[in-house]
């Protein structure tokens, strides 16, 4: 072999090695870019990213980049309630209750801070070894856990009747009214009885982070949502503050502040007022709020491209699958009743807009499954995954976790089990996922 031929072989080998090295560099660079969007490689994607708490009322994927610490309350799904955990919580609660009784202060008992207990599971699969039915049965036998019961007579804490003129409605009788717009398990109630029929000239404004509704009793003793309609006279009103939502449970201070505002409204009407007792109401609402916080989770899977996707192509594919762009900057697939079923958001938290979709490309997107808002049943999760697989095929995308690992059958099995367990937990206390009550509590 001549020296020239040897030189050519060496140069050829160098070129081949250079191409291989360059490809490895590009691959590593791509992985780093996607990881920067989805998370860090030293975190378990399933435990820390695929399930997200949405109790603060914001959609996953729509968080400002300038506030990384204020992300959604991401919870480790291995932190499922165990018997030991409930025993510790019960013991702590009993100790705090004994202390409050010695002090003779019911208000202090209502304001005591909850004891946070953290635990770790060895693996995600181990978390699902818990028998949900057995755990709930044990809780019921031992007096733990929440039971969705009817509260017929709220305990009054304040009754104000300054004027001696007779009220049109008896305040105690108003408490017994079963109105379809309110639930005494999580609505803090205020009852207002007028002394003479009055029109409602304008709806009151009550400051606070929780929603409220006002029902009024007309002169023919018919209850309806109160509206400022001319020539419609009312005998009294019932105001309900929804104290449980994705904003969390209303505090004692918030309920007292609401009572002050309702009292001012009643004084303007020269009416009598009755308020629910705050500590008694919180004793009823707190277990329900704890359950809501535990089940309020969103499953997220990511579809990413090794290159980029045209926004026009992306929108066409999504809309051909009946997803529609909403005012919140996300695509939603609606159910037969027009309620959002599944959602699609950008991977970097920016909103989808018509102008951006027509002018820029995307690296991928995330599909969201809200456990509390999707009707219960395995078929819905299967449909969710079928849609994701179809998008993966039509757009040439990879279904991956935060570490750029393709989703495995074991991953799908574990997540499906988690979804069904949480929805079953909701159903056992009378909250049907996707129905009116769930919509109220998880919005």
């Amino acid at each position: 072999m001549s020296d020239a031929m040897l030189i050519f072989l060496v140069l050829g080998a160098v070129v081949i090695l250079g191409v291989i090295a360059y490809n490895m560099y590009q691959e590593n660079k791509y992985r780093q870019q996607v990881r920067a969007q989805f998370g860090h490689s030293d975190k378990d994607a399933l435990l820390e990213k695929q399930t997200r708490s949405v109790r603060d009322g914001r959609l996953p994927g729509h968080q400002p980049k300038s506030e990384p610490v204020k992300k959604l309350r991401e919870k480790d799904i291995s932190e499922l309630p165990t018997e030991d955990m409930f025993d510790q919580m019960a013991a702590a609660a009993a100790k705090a209750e004994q202390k409050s009784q010695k002090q003779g202060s019911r208000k202090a008992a209502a304001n005591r801070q909850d004891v946070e207990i953290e635990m770790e599971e060895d693996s995600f699969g181990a978390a699902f070894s818990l028998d949900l039915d057995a755990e709930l049965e044990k809780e019921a036998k031992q007096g733990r856990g929440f039971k969705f019961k009817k509260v017929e007579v709220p305990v009054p804490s304040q009754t104000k009747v300054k004027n001696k003129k007779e009220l049109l409605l008896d305040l105690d009788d108003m408490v017994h009214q079963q109105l379809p717009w309110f639930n005494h398990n999580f609505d803090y109630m205020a009852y207002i009885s007028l002394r003479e029929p009055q029109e409602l000239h304008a709806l009151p404004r009550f400051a606070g982070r929780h929603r409220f509704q006002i029902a009024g009793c007309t002169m023919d003793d018919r209850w309806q949502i109160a509206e400022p309609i001319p020539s419609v006279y009312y005998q009294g009103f019932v105001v309900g503050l929804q104290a449980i939502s994705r904003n969390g449970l209303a505090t004692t201070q918030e309920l007292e502040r609401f009572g002050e505002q309702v009292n001012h409204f009643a004084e303007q009407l020269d009416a009598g007022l009755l308020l629910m007792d705050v500590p008694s109401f919180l004793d009823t609402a707190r277990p329900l709020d704890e359950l809501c916080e535990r089940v309020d989770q969103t499953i997220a899977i990511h579809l990413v491209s090794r290159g980029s996707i045209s926004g026009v192509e992306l929108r066409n594919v999504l809309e051909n699958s009946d997803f529609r762009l909403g005012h919140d900057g996300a695509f939603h697939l609606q159910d037969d009743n027009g309620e959002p079923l599944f959602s699609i958001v950008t991977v970097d938290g920016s909103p989808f807009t018509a102008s951006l979709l027509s002018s820029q490309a995307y690296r991928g997107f995330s599909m969201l499954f809200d456990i509390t808002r999707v009707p219960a049943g395995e078929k819905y999760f299967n449909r969710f995954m079928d849609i994701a697989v179809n998008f993966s095929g039509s757009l040439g995308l990879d279904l991956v976790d935060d570490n750029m690992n393709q989703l495995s059958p074991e991953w799908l099995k574990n997540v499906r089990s988690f979804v069904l367990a949480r929805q079953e937990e909701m159903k056992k206390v009378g909250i049907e996922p996707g129905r009116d009550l769930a919509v109220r509590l998880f919005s």
Side-chain angles (χ1 to χ4, degrees):
M1 181 182 295
S2 65
D3 292 341
M5 181 64 70
L6 183 60
I7 292 174
F8 281 124
L9 290 176
V10 172
L11 290 177
V14 170
V15 171
I16 293 173
L17 291 175
V19 171
I20 294 174
Y22 178 74
N23 287 338
M24 293 177 61
Y25 168 76
Q26 290 290 89
E27 180 73 14
N28 184 59
K29 183 178 179 182
Y30 167 74
R31 289 176 179 272
Q32 291 178 350
Q33 289 175 347
V34 177
R35 286 171 180 168
Q37 292 177 329
F38 288 101
H40 300 286
S41 60
D42 59 347
K43 294 184 179 180
D44 188 303
L46 179 59
L47 297 184
E48 301 208 9
K49 292 295 181 183
Q50 303 307 319
T51 301
R52 312 181 183 192
S53 174
V54 288
R55 278 300 300 273
D56 59 3
R58 291 176 292 178
L59 192 65
H62 284 260
Q63 303 308 307
K65 287 186 176 181
S66 59
E67 299 181 358
V69 180
K70 296 178 67 176
K71 287 184 177 181
L72 301 173
R73 299 184 205 172
E74 297 181 355
K75 287 180 174 286
D76 188 331
I77 19 186
S78 65
E79 294 182 6
L80 300 176
T82 65
E83 190 67 24
D84 292 339
M85 184 176 179
F86 277 123
D87 289 340
Q88 295 178 47
M89 295 174 67
K95 184 178 180 180
E97 185 67 23
Q98 292 176 359
K99 183 178 179 181
S100 64
Q101 290 177 354
K102 291 180 181 181
Q103 294 175 345
S105 174
R106 296 180 67 188
K107 186 174 181 180
N111 289 331
R112 66 179 183 270
Q113 297 180 346
D114 294 334
V115 179
E116 296 185 358
I117 301 175
E118 297 184 356
M119 59 177 297
E120 296 182 355
E121 294 283 349
D122 293 336
S123 66
F124 180 74
F128 289 112
S129 64
L130 293 172
D131 187 332
L132 180 62
D133 293 335
E135 288 297 322
L136 293 175
E137 185 177 352
K138 289 180 182 179
E139 293 175 28
K141 290 181 179 180
Q142 299 179 16
R144 296 195 300 265
F146 174 78
K147 294 182 179 180
F148 209 39
K149 59 184 179 180
K150 180 186 293 184
V151 182
E152 296 183 351
V153 183
V155 180
S157 67
Q158 178 183 3
T159 303
K160 293 190 176 182
V161 184
K162 295 182 179 180
N163 196 322
K164 293 183 179 181
K165 189 174 180 179
E166 185 177 355
L167 299 174
L168 297 178
L169 298 174
D170 185 270
L171 290 170
D172 292 330
D173 290 342
M174 294 176 69
V175 172
H176 293 271
Q177 289 287 339
Q178 296 298 321
L179 302 179
W181 310 284
F182 307 107
N183 188 304
H184 293 150
N185 289 283
F186 57 85
D187 286 317
Y188 179 74
M189 310 294 292
Y191 303 89
I192 300 172
S193 179
L194 304 177
R195 304 181 192 283
E196 56 185 26
Q198 295 187 43
E199 292 180 307
L200 182 63
H201 298 290
L203 290 174
R205 295 178 179 272
F206 301 138
R209 64 190 180 109
H210 295 273
R211 296 183 297 272
F212 66 90
Q213 293 188 92
I214 302 179
C217 182
T218 59
M219 297 307 298
D220 57 357
D221 295 325
R222 183 168 57 90
W223 286 93
Q224 64 183 38
I225 292 297
E227 296 180 280
I229 303 175
S231 301
V232 175
Y233 288 82
Y234 293 97
Q235 304 181 65
F237 303 98
V238 173
V239 187
L241 179 75
Q242 184 178 325
I244 297 177
S245 67
R246 280 180 165 164
N247 289 323
L249 176 64
T251 65
T252 299
Q253 293 74 21
E254 287 176 318
L255 296 180
E256 291 177 345
R257 174 58 179 158
F258 172 73
E260 293 173 358
Q261 296 179 79
V262 175
N263 180 50
H264 179 67
F265 174 62
E267 288 179 344
Q268 291 179 326
L269 300 175
D270 188 27
L273 171 67
L274 185 148
L275 297 173
M276 292 179 70
D277 180 63
V278 172
S280 297
F281 171 76
L282 289 177
D283 286 343
T284 299
R286 189 175 290 110
L288 175 60
D289 177 67
E290 292 171 353
L291 180 143
C292 290
E293 184 173 5
R294 183 166 63 253
V295 302
D296 197 3
Q297 307 286 334
T298 292
I299 303 298
I301 63 173
H302 312 299
L303 294 90
V304 297
S305 171
R306 292 186 175 275
S308 62
I309 319 165
S310 163
V312 175
E313 180 185 9
L314 175 60
R315 182 170 188 174
N316 287 337
V317 171
L318 296 184
E319 291 185 345
N320 287 338
S321 298
D322 296 326
F323 280 82
R324 295 293 178 263
L325 182 60
H327 296 294
D328 57 354
F331 283 91
H332 302 284
L333 176 66
Q334 297 181 337
D335 60 17
D336 296 335
N337 299 320
E339 294 295 328
L341 193 61
F342 310 131
S343 300
I344 290 177
V345 298
T346 61
V347 297
D348 61 0
S350 62
F352 285 115
T353 66
S355 59
L356 290 176
L357 285 165
S358 63
S359 61
Q360 75 174 29
Y362 293 84
R363 295 298 299 271
F365 56 86
S366 298
M367 284 188 60
L368 307 180
F369 184 104
D370 188 334
I371 293 176
T372 65
R373 303 295 291 273
V374 176
E378 187 174 359
K379 69 175 184 178
Y380 289 99
F381 185 82
N382 292 341
R383 183 182 177 188
F384 174 74
M385 290 307 307
D386 287 342
I387 292 174
V389 171
N390 289 337
F391 285 155
S392 174
S394 59
L395 292 171
L397 305 176
D398 295 327
L399 294 171
V400 300
D401 61 22
D402 293 349
N403 293 328
M404 291 300 297
N405 298 319
Q406 291 189 345
L407 304 186
S408 65
E410 187 67 21
W411 187 97
L412 296 177
K413 179 181 177 181
N414 288 338
V415 172
R416 182 186 291 108
S417 299
F418 181 81
V419 169
L420 297 179
R422 299 287 74 73
Q423 290 188 329
E424 185 64 23
E425 192 173 0
M426 293 175 61
K427 291 169 61 179
K428 283 184 178 294
V429 297
I431 306 174
E432 188 70 27
R435 298 291 180 86
D436 293 342
L437 186 57
V439 171
R440 281 194 66 191
L441 289 170
F442 303 102
S443 61

